[in-house]
Amino acid sequence: VILAASVPPSLVIRNGTVITMDRKRRIVRGDIHVTDGQIRAVVAGTRKADGSARGATVLDATDCLVIPGLVQTHVHLCQTLFRGRADDLPLLKWLRTRIWPFEAALDEASLRTSAQLGLLELLLGGTTTILDMGTVHHQDIVFEAMEQAGVRGFSGKSMMDVGQGLPKPMREGTRASLDETDRLAAAWHGAAHGRLGYAVAPRFILSCSRELLEGARDLALRHRAPIHTHAAEHPDEVAAVRRTTGKTSVRALHDLGLTGTRSIFAHCVHLTPADRKLLAETKTAVAHCPSANLKLGSGIADIVALRRAEVTVGIGADGAACNNLLCAWTEMRLAGLLASVRHGPGVLTAADLLAIGTIDGAKALGLERVIGSLEPGKRADLVVIAPDHTVEPAEDPYARLIWSGRACDVRDVVIDGRIVVRNRECLTLDADSIRAHAKQHARRIASHV
Ligand SMILES: [Zn+2]
């Protein structure tokens, strides 16, 4: 139905119910043809599951839903090993007594394992694109793990040069932080044939000097890279920002030139109407992390108000140390439940919520022409959802996905035309070895604190 291709496909996803998430929200029962990592056609009609595909690899999706790969606009791969070791604390105490000391204890081997373990969970759960915030040191390792896993996305070293409660190894010189960011951006922005990108990542206002924030802005401009930071997450942080700057986080970041079409602010729980207006006017995107916000007692971000102001909103699990899952399904569902409590059921429909987890997330990252929907011309990032008879009947596919969807429904995952998960097994990462290493490293890191 949507365009026919003359080039023979190298991969065919056959006989699925394709939730395209295109502008018209079309649902097509049929095949997706992929060549050279690109979707060439979405073809309606039923074919024999084992019918000829002219030499192409075939993923049979009979009785399955096929959706665009899920996009998480805020995660911390470096924190996966801290899962279950930093619970029941509010934000600033959580950072100062656990997360920063843990991050300070990461060496290259444990950081690699942490990133791999996180990527394994993300891929198996259908997340194909991430915006990751790294730690202060060894950032190349995170990119190497992302390259190996086959995920799409951005990462960037966390930048910190001031702040209360920062362990010594985590406090950088301002110049050193900027130079390292510059080097990493030159090395990784656009790497892996454009699948990876660099995101300049000043951690949050309280851990960054004015010079560092201005330098980060200049580097992002020079490398044409996104800016990724935390803003307005917790009332204590909001109060501390006001004490040091006399402003709200969003206003302070804006006044230093850090808002804009390539900026993504995580959380934005505590905003004034003026903050929302600023985000909208500057086209700054927001990463909504409902599980982390609830667990750290931070509050509930009003994403309905943000969307009404035409701010682009994506979702993110944040880190395993504050969630403790890295599950896009949980975040989409929770985003819907919280919106329902605040504004009434149906204010965000299941289709809206799937959009937040796919095409809107892509837009937040400036990738809406590349991914986020299943249409000819886009890169082939997609997820095959296995039928689940425990949640039938499920007439409306959007409701099936959002209100009864779980990470364990994900059967196959394709990124850039490459199958990275098949029959619930990750083909790019060695799950057994990663899990064994993770246990050892996690124990050693915990003993440091
Ligand atoms: Zn975060």
Side-chain angles (χ1 to χ4, degrees):
V1 69
I2 310 174
L3 226 130
S6 50
V7 195
S10 50
L11 173 67
V12 175
I13 294 85
R14 176 149 286 170
N15 287 343
T17 298
V18 182
I19 315 299
T20 64
M21 296 310 286
D22 68 2
R23 230 173 255 276
K24 294 181 181 162
R25 300 283 184 262
R26 279 182 282 197
I27 295 176
V28 179
R29 289 188 171 76
D31 295 355
I32 300 174
H33 290 192
V34 176
T35 305
D36 295 330
Q38 192 181 48
I39 298 173
R40 295 299 172 92
V42 181
V43 188
T46 312
R47 277 152 211 87
K48 275 189 192 159
D50 57 353
S52 161
R54 289 186 286 172
T57 304
V58 176
L59 278 180
D60 177 28
T62 306
D63 297 332
C64 296
L65 299 175
V66 185
I67 64 168
L70 299 172
V71 179
Q72 292 207 43
T73 52
H74 185 64
V75 298
H76 295 260
L77 292 174
C78 68
Q79 294 175 7
T80 319
L81 295 182
F82 316 156
R83 185 184 341 248
R85 295 183 193 267
D87 297 325
D88 308 326
L89 294 165
L91 178 72
L92 294 178
K93 205 169 175 194
W94 174 83
L95 281 169
R96 287 168 184 155
T97 66
R98 302 291 164 87
I99 299 309
W100 289 338
F102 285 157
E103 284 189 25
L106 285 168
D107 57 14
E108 293 197 358
S110 50
L111 179 57
R112 188 183 304 279
T113 301
S114 186
Q116 289 173 329
L117 186 67
L119 287 163
L120 192 61
E121 183 180 352
L122 290 163
L123 294 179
L124 290 172
T127 294
T128 56
T129 296
I130 55 171
L131 172 60
D132 174 66
M133 182 172 288
T135 182
V136 173
H137 303 292
H138 320 302
Q139 176 61 31
D140 293 283
I141 300 285
V142 176
F143 279 110
E144 287 170 22
M146 288 171 69
E147 184 167 24
Q148 178 200 10
V151 76
R152 186 186 302 284
F154 299 87
S155 183
K157 76 172 241 72
S158 185
M159 305 169 80
M160 300 202 270
D161 67 342
V162 295
Q164 219 184 311
L166 211 50
K168 229 182 183 169
M170 299 291 279
R171 186 191 303 265
E172 312 169 274
T174 309
R175 192 67 254 163
S177 181
L178 293 169
D179 287 349
E180 177 69 348
T181 296
D182 192 19
R183 179 191 73 76
L184 287 161
W188 292 104
H189 198 44
H193 308 288
R195 212 182 69 230
L196 300 181
Y198 196 84
V200 176
R203 190 143 189 160
F204 69 152
I205 289 178
L206 298 179
S207 69
C208 301
S209 67
R210 185 195 174 98
E211 295 69 34
L212 189 68
L213 289 167
E214 287 174 343
R217 170 202 64 202
D218 294 345
L219 283 173
L221 267 177
R222 182 138 56 78
H223 289 281
R224 305 176 65 82
I227 292 174
H228 180 201
T229 191
H230 297 96
E233 181 174 357
H234 189 278
D236 295 346
E237 167 223 348
V238 169
V241 169
R242 193 169 278 286
R243 274 199 303 278
T244 49
T245 67
K247 301 172 185 174
T248 67
S249 294
V250 171
R251 169 56 70 180
L253 290 165
H254 175 73
D255 288 351
L256 293 171
L258 280 92
T259 51
T261 49
R262 271 199 285 264
S263 295
I264 303 100
F265 293 175
H267 306 303
C268 293
V269 175
H270 303 281
L271 299 178
T272 64
D275 289 338
R276 270 196 287 275
K277 208 164 156 234
L278 261 185
L279 293 172
E281 281 168 4
T282 57
K283 296 196 182 339
T284 302
V286 168
H288 179 43
C289 308
S291 292
N293 295 156
L294 294 178
K295 186 157 178 282
L296 294 170
S298 300
I300 300 171
D302 190 352
I303 63 165
V304 172
L306 284 167
R307 283 168 54 94
R308 281 182 182 150
E310 293 185 10
V311 175
T312 303
V313 177
I315 48 112
D318 210 343
C322 64
N323 186 305
N324 297 355
L325 295 168
L326 302 178
C327 175
W329 302 94
T330 304
E331 301 310 311
M332 291 191 292
R333 176 183 165 86
L334 204 45
L337 296 176
L338 291 171
S340 184
V341 166
R342 193 150 186 166
H343 294 278
V347 169
L348 289 181
T349 64
D352 292 334
L353 292 159
L354 188 62
I356 289 172
T358 55
I359 186 67
D360 293 357
K363 193 175 171 206
L365 302 180
L367 295 177
E368 70 272 24
R369 289 197 191 87
V370 182
I371 52 155
S373 60
L374 300 176
E375 300 177 72
K378 289 211 173 177
R379 302 305 295 171
D381 290 12
L382 57 91
V383 176
V384 178
I385 305 296
D388 181 347
H389 303 294
T390 63
V391 294
E392 283 178 354
E395 269 312 294
D396 173 10
Y398 296 111
R400 157 71 185 89
L401 290 162
I402 294 300
W403 302 124
S404 347
R406 291 169 300 186
C408 60
D409 301 331
V410 171
R411 195 192 70 188
D412 310 305
V413 179
V414 174
I415 302 175
D416 226 24
R418 175 187 186 197
I419 303 173
V420 295
V421 173
R422 189 159 197 177
N423 286 328
R424 298 185 166 89
E425 217 177 290
C426 185
L427 306 181
T428 52
L429 296 166
D430 181 348
D432 291 343
S433 140
I434 292 165
R435 286 175 186 137
H437 283 119
K439 271 189 195 148
Q440 290 170 9
H441 287 304
R443 237 177 270 132
R444 184 188 61 78
I445 288 163
S447 73
H448 276 247
V449 178

